Amino acid sequence: MFWKRSYGLIMVGLLLVMMIALLLSGSRLFTDIEEEAHIEEEDRIVVGVSQLGSESGWRTANTESVQNAFTQQNGYFLIYNNARQKQENQLKAIRSFISQRVDYIIFSPVVETGWETVLQEAKQAGIPVILMDRNVDVEDESLYVTCVGSDFEKEGEKAGHWLERELVQRGVSGQSVNIVILTGTEGSSSQIGRSAGFATVAEKHNNWNILEEKCAEFTSTKGKEVMKTFLKRYPDINVVVSQNDDMTFGAIEAIKESGRTVGVDGDIIILSFDAVRGALDMVADGTINVDIECNPNQGEYLLRVIDMLEADETVEKMYYVEEDIFTIENVTEELLQERTY
Ligand code: GYE
């Protein structure tokens, strides 16, 4: 009896000792990993990225490019925030990056205005700010270090010049042409630049009638909605200029549902921007006449800029990414295979 009881006690005691030992070693193990992570983190460059949203295929590709660039293997610790199209969310994210004392702030400004105060705060905290994709409209350019993005005005001009050539080729350059324009987020660099660039070409042609220019927020749903109202209002549209592929997808749906046809063999000419994979497929099959490329792969460029800053080299105020223009003539099977976005 006694033997049995003391055996039981010994067993309970042993179990307790084992559990304590396990707990101790467990927590030690935990601390070790934490310490290691901490040390590694300290060596890494901490980057706070405020992405403006996830409105389009282009944006998804842009986010992926950034996330693939600022990896642990590349020596970075990335704090990423999606502002869901709201400037106030971007302001909040930037302020939180400042209070976390990140090494660099990167952000893609949803619109161009309203950034002075927060940029001043970042400057006072000594944190360099890099703009990606879109630009800001500030008097004091020292509020940001550099911008990696596209020449949106040039993109707009490319669209205009393509249309000039196309009308000549069709032998209708002397006739009146009715154009509608679907614009992206009002006040964003991409909207401002593309509108201005196209307008400079359009102004040279008295026979180009811009029937209406309306915001469809860079989304497919809005693109369809706005195109529907255009089709109801104007029975004689010849050309649609859509400032991104997502709006183009929606607009094409609306046009087809209305019984009209688009593209190379259709009666409405479609000009689009971005050249994401899905749209290039539609260029290849003749649904979209031309797509002005906007390159979302900006991660690599941003890495290079930070390398230069880390090496105390002077950087330029603006870095433009490389961009092409696509029609049925140059969208090859090979290009479609290679396209990563
Ligand atoms: O064209 C559009 C996106 O600013 C270049 O934003 C970017 C634009 C792009 O949502 O698809």
Side-chain angles (χ1 to χ4, degrees):
M1 219 18 213
F2 169 76
W3 183 87
K4 264 192 190 161
R5 199 187 297 151
S6 60
Y7 177 74
L9 276 172
I10 290 167
M11 285 305 281
V12 169
L14 260 176
L15 257 172
L16 266 170
V17 170
M18 274 168 71
M19 270 168 70
I20 290 167
L22 247 171
L23 266 173
L24 280 177
S25 70
S27 63
R28 250 199 61 78
L29 187 72
F30 194 63
T31 351
D32 281 354
I33 290 172
E34 248 192 356
E35 265 167 20
E36 235 170 69
H38 193 67
I39 292 162
E40 270 192 25
E41 231 168 80
E42 274 185 359
D43 285 344
R44 284 192 262 160
I45 299 172
V46 182
V47 172
V49 174
S50 162
Q51 178 59 286
L52 64 86
S54 43
E55 71 286 359
S56 64
W58 187 96
R59 186 67 51 199
T60 309
N62 181 243
T63 300
E64 272 171 22
S65 165
V66 168
Q67 287 173 337
N68 292 338
F70 296 112
T71 58
Q72 191 169 340
Q73 295 96 296
N74 285 344
Y76 286 92
F77 185 87
L78 169 67
I79 310 170
Y80 172 82
N81 184 271
N82 178 344
R84 302 187 311 279
Q85 299 299 316
K86 291 210 170 74
Q87 182 169 33
E88 57 185 269
N89 289 344
Q90 289 205 282
L91 293 172
K92 245 189 249 163
I94 295 169
R95 292 204 162 104
S96 109
F97 297 154
I98 296 172
S99 67
Q100 290 177 73
R101 309 223 137 259
V102 299
D103 298 311
Y104 293 92
I105 291 172
I106 298 179
F107 83 110
S108 159
V110 63
V111 290
E112 288 195 347
T113 53
W115 302 103
E116 260 98 354
T117 315
V118 79
L119 290 180
Q120 201 71 55
E121 288 165 24
K123 193 178 176 185
Q124 262 152 26
I127 304 172
V129 174
I130 300 168
L131 307 175
M132 86 170 165
D133 161 29
R134 302 180 185 175
N135 218 314
V136 294
D137 181 6
V138 287
E139 238 167 64
D140 177 5
E141 285 207 334
S142 77
L143 289 178
Y144 64 92
V145 180
T146 182
C147 177
V148 170
S150 308
D151 190 340
F152 296 119
E153 199 159 333
K154 194 159 162 206
E155 288 179 1
E157 282 170 18
K158 282 183 192 170
H161 291 311
W162 179 86
L163 187 59
E164 279 178 336
R165 290 194 298 272
E166 178 67 10
L167 297 176
V168 170
Q169 257 175 37
R170 292 183 180 213
V172 293
S173 60
Q175 294 174 22
S176 87
V177 189
N178 293 327
I179 304 169
V180 289
I181 305 176
L182 295 164
T183 59
T185 309
E186 228 161 295
S188 66
S189 302
S190 22
Q191 178 270 315
I192 296 171
R194 287 169 187 168
S195 294
F198 186 77
T200 49
V201 182
E203 274 159 18
K204 293 188 199 134
H205 302 278
N206 292 334
N207 57 327
W208 289 20
N209 310 318
I210 305 210
L211 300 171
E212 199 173 333
E213 189 159 344
K214 203 168 171 183
C215 176
E217 289 161 20
F218 282 133
T219 70
S220 180
T221 325
K222 275 274 171 187
K224 185 167 183 179
E225 200 181 297
V226 173
M227 192 64 221
K228 269 189 180 169
T229 63
F230 281 165
L231 288 159
K232 265 191 214 132
R233 218 169 284 166
Y234 313 104
D236 48 1
I237 298 168
N238 308 117
V239 176
V240 174
V241 178
S242 163
Q243 288 181 351
N244 88 338
D245 286 337
D246 292 76
M247 295 191 294
T248 307
F249 299 148
I252 289 174
E253 260 181 54
I255 297 170
K256 285 186 173 166
E257 282 170 19
S258 80
R260 298 199 61 187
T261 54
V262 291
V264 175
D265 301 317
D267 50 8
I268 297 183
I269 297 175
I270 308 284
L271 287 82
S272 191
F273 291 82
D274 281 356
V276 295
R277 172 67 208 254
L280 285 185
D281 284 333
M282 292 168 98
V283 173
D285 73 16
T287 309
I288 294 174
N289 297 73
V290 67
D291 212 325
I292 316 298
E293 183 180 36
C294 183
N295 184 356
N297 287 334
Q298 295 167 352
E300 290 293 321
Y301 288 79
L302 292 164
L303 282 180
R304 254 182 277 153
V305 164
I306 293 188
D307 276 350
M308 286 167 77
L309 293 171
E310 288 289 300
D312 274 337
E313 287 171 33
T314 37
V315 294
E316 290 176 21
K317 213 66 204 175
M318 183 76 219
Y319 288 99
Y320 288 125
V321 291
E322 272 177 47
E323 297 175 334
D324 214 330
I325 137 166
F326 296 110
T327 63
I328 200 162
E329 272 98 44
N330 65 344
V331 176
T332 56
E333 200 42 53
E334 199 188 342
L335 179 94
L336 291 176
Q337 299 275 312
E338 277 174 9
R339 202 76 171 169
T340 51
Y341 55 91

